[in-house]
Amino acid sequence: MSGEAAIGIHDLSFATTQYVLTHATLAAETGTDVAKYHVGIGQRSMSVPAADEDIVTMAAAAAAPIIARHGADRIRTVVLATETSVDQAKAAGIYVHSLLGLPSATRVVELKQACYGATAALQFAVGLVHRDRTQQVLVIASDVSRYELGSPGEATQGAAAVAMLVGADPALVRIEDPSGVFTADVMDFWRPNYRSTALVDGQESISAYLQAVEGAWKDYTEQGGREPGEFRAFCYHQPFTKMAYKAHKHLLHHCGHDADEGEIARSLGHTTTYNADVGNSYTASTYLGLAALLDDADDLTGEAIGFLSYGSGSVAEFFAGTVVPGYRAHLRTEAHRAAIARRQDIDYARYRALHEHSFPADGGDHPVPRETTGPYRMAGLLGHKRIYEPR
Ligand code: COA
């Protein structure tokens, strides 16, 4: 990095929802063999937001511990990536900026490209820090993944937010320069403005993802990237955790790199633990994989981690990071495990009611009953305005 201190992820924190629906409950309701979920797609449960939770409350809950630890003096930019935006014009990050009491001398913007958006945000943040190494950028990925009831996608829902503080001389992961990118115009998953649930061609989305892995890797190699054997682990976008295995096997086969099941499990195993319990968190999923890896794996000091970010439609990027000596002292392992463990189990009827809940569009006063025990809540809609408050 031209002799200057590296740039990368200085802190990472995630938050998820009040409720959880297990795949055992879903399987009993739909008459599906639960092994299809546990083994076939690699999912055990999915996070479900309470009626007073959304991408803003999760984003603020994820970012608050970062502000508490580092302050906001050096943060001049907040980039929130999401594909489940709450407004067509106003950036969700402005509500988060307000809830966190960030200084007015901040630029706030929202980014969208399906599940890929947070990686664009991370790379843009690295660029901003290159311009002024005293600045830090707060990158937040926050999403609620929602498919139609009874559809094949229903088992791959979930919700979470990951917040990352990006700066020079990072405490967790240095981001390396070579980066491979890939774009192709495909209709594998999309959500027209008039729909609250996504449309998806599941099998097409799997093939489009695998195509994108090849394309991003080819470009990464041409940009002077590492060899596959140099990586200790790979964090893939995980719409369901089995997809990471499909993608990795595809990449290794494409590279002609022989790897046995043991090596594949060693490269991916730790990255899937949080995603298996949280479900698809769209933009947050790759970085939830990183959180799980850092929290669960034995010492990774100096190891190279590969990142493959995929967003339907489609854009993908492959890049690498190296784990910084002393990183373990900066992890939030206990808080992350508690965020998953604190969720309350709900039955299918409650999940269904929450899934079908929507706000009237009449501009009236629509308060939301107090439900979440998280730090922030959406108090309701008033005159078409979303009202947020600390709990
Ligand atoms: N025990 C163990 N495994 C089982 C099983 C059982 N009883 N029944 C099925 N399976 C396996 C299947 O063999 C398959 O595994 P494979 O893909 O390795 O062959 C897996 O479970 C899923 O089965 P499938 O019949 O393909 O499920 P589906 O038609 O319900 O669709 C998705 C699965 C992922 C395509 C669907 O959930 C979806 O559309 N999700 C949203 C989009 C998405 O996540 N796309 C990913 C790329 S972004």
Side-chain angles (χ1 to χ4, degrees):
M1 293 222 164
S2 52
E4 291 177 306
I7 296 171
I9 303 168
H10 191 50
D11 197 358
L12 186 156
S13 158
F14 91 79
T16 185
T17 59
Q18 180 69 18
Y19 297 131
V20 61
L21 179 78
T22 67
H23 280 80
T25 302
L26 181 64
E29 177 66 28
T30 57
T32 306
D33 178 358
V34 75
K36 173 174 175 182
Y37 299 146
H38 289 174
V39 182
I41 60 171
Q43 291 303 131
R44 303 203 70 81
S45 57
M46 56 175 95
S47 287
V48 179
D52 57 351
E53 291 179 317
D54 66 6
I55 60 159
V56 170
T57 63
M58 289 191 300
I66 291 183
I67 303 303
R69 185 185 280 179
H70 306 275
D73 293 355
R74 294 173 61 192
I75 298 175
R76 286 180 57 79
T77 306
V78 176
V79 190
L80 191 151
T82 187
E83 58 181 297
T84 47
S85 190
V86 294
D87 195 288
Q88 293 284 17
K90 180 168 174 142
I94 298 178
Y95 297 115
V96 177
H97 175 275
S98 167
L99 286 170
L100 298 179
L102 299 182
S104 59
T106 310
R107 67 167 72 81
V108 180
V109 71
E110 186 166 309
L111 280 189
K112 178 184 73 182
Q113 183 5 68
C115 304
Y116 165 74
T119 299
L122 176 60
Q123 295 291 6
F124 295 169
V126 169
L128 282 170
V129 177
H130 260 297
R131 194 173 76 169
D132 176 356
R133 307 177 78 82
T134 65
Q135 291 186 21
Q136 295 175 325
V137 179
L138 181 61
V139 169
I140 309 175
S142 188
D143 268 306
V144 176
S145 153
R146 187 171 286 156
Y147 296 96
E148 268 182 27
L149 294 170
S151 72
E154 185 179 16
T156 60
Q157 299 176 115
V162 171
M164 295 181 278
L165 188 62
V166 177
D169 196 15
L172 299 181
V173 177
R174 297 178 182 135
I175 303 297
E176 298 183 354
D177 282 346
S179 172
V181 288
F182 176 83
T183 290
D185 183 3
V186 285
M187 293 302 282
D188 58 330
F189 166 108
W190 67 107
R191 184 168 67 85
N193 287 345
Y194 48 82
R195 285 183 63 99
S196 65
T197 53
L199 294 161
V200 62
D201 179 340
Q203 298 309 330
E204 169 71 11
S205 74
I206 293 172
S207 1
Y209 185 137
L210 298 179
Q211 251 340 96
V213 168
E214 270 183 47
W217 178 262
K218 180 174 176 289
D219 189 47
Y220 175 70
T221 306
E222 287 166 8
Q223 302 298 319
R226 292 171 179 267
E227 295 295 318
E230 292 178 47
F231 294 97
R232 165 65 183 79
F234 292 81
C235 295
Y236 284 89
H237 167 52
Q238 296 170 37
F240 51 98
T241 64
K242 191 77 175 295
M243 189 66 219
Y245 287 85
K246 284 181 190 287
H248 193 52
K249 286 177 183 168
H250 188 82
L251 175 67
L252 295 180
H253 180 72
H254 173 74
C255 297
H257 181 88
D258 278 335
D260 58 27
E261 290 295 329
E263 187 187 333
I264 292 172
R266 188 169 163 273
S267 298
L268 301 184
H270 294 293
T271 72
T272 61
T273 52
Y274 292 160
N275 280 289
D277 280 335
V278 164
N280 191 358
S281 56
Y282 288 163
T283 52
S285 133
T286 309
Y287 301 97
L288 207 53
L290 173 63
L293 174 70
L294 296 175
D295 287 345
D296 290 351
D298 290 341
D299 190 17
L300 295 165
T301 300
E303 302 276 12
I305 313 290
F307 294 85
L308 186 287
S309 177
Y310 174 75
S312 290
S314 71
V315 176
E317 180 158 351
F318 189 97
F319 64 100
T322 45
V323 181
V324 177
Y327 76 97
R328 284 187 139 172
H330 306 276
L331 296 179
R332 300 178 178 277
T333 310
E334 248 176 67
H336 289 167
R337 290 180 182 157
I340 289 176
R342 68 178 274 279
R343 296 170 304 166
Q344 281 169 255
D345 226 338
I346 48 172
D347 62 17
Y348 190 84
R350 180 76 186 114
Y351 148 76
R352 192 182 169 116
L354 285 163
H355 194 286
E356 287 172 340
H357 167 79
S358 67
F359 286 102
D362 58 6
D365 183 2
H366 301 291
V368 187
R370 198 170 286 276
E371 231 178 314
T372 181
T373 56
Y376 303 100
R377 64 183 296 273
M378 185 194 171
L381 261 187
L382 179 59
H384 294 296
K385 294 173 189 150
R386 294 175 89 87
I387 313 295
Y388 292 97
E389 61 186 20
R391 188 175 62 85

